[in-house]
């Protein structure tokens, strides 16, 4: 760990040393420039993570099926229109509300 945990006592000591070294006139200017630098660093770091997220490859359809590509053997959603049947093909028997198909 590069920096140990800094408690309130250590923080006050650092601020007193900074006040003695820089003086009361320059301390607000230094604090403002330090805050601006930290803000710019955080913005650049978030830009890099956003760019890395955009460059990441999308999951392959074989591992993550989507609505556009249903898994093999999956039934189409009830709201989508049924595919056109061939004239020689017999229509499939509809399933009842319980999910059991009625067979004659």
């Amino acid at each position: 760990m590069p920096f140990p945990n800094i408690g309130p006592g250590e923080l006050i000591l650092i601020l007193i040393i900074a006040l003695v070294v820089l003086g009361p006139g320059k301390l607000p200017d230094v604090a403002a420039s330090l805050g601006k630098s930290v803000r710019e660093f955080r913005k650049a770091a978030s830009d890099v993570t956003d760019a890395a997220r955009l460059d990441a490859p999308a999951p392959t359809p074989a591992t993550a099926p989507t609505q556009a590509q249903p898994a093999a053997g999956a039934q189409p959603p009830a709201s989508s229109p049924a595919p056109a049947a061939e004239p020689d093909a017999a229509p499939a028997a509809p399933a009842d509300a319980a999910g059991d198909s009625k067979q004659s």
Side-chain angles (χ1 to χ4, degrees):
M1 185 174 349
F3 296 107
N5 293 335
I6 297 176
E10 290 89 3
L11 187 61
I12 291 172
L13 181 64
I14 291 170
L15 290 175
I16 290 173
I17 291 172
L19 182 64
V20 169
V21 170
L22 299 174
K26 283 198 165 206
L27 191 59
D29 296 333
V30 170
S33 65
L34 181 65
K36 185 177 180 181
S37 299
V38 169
R39 198 174 315 119
E40 289 176 5
F41 178 77
R42 286 184 181 174
K43 183 181 177 193
S46 67
D47 289 345
V48 168
T49 56
D50 289 344
R53 191 175 304 131
L54 292 175
D55 291 342
T60 60
T63 59
T66 62
Q67 289 181 354
Q69 298 173 345
Q75 296 293 327
S79 62
S80 67
E86 295 181 17
D88 296 338
D96 64 352
D100 299 326
S101 62
K102 294 183 180 181
Q103 304 235 350
S104 316

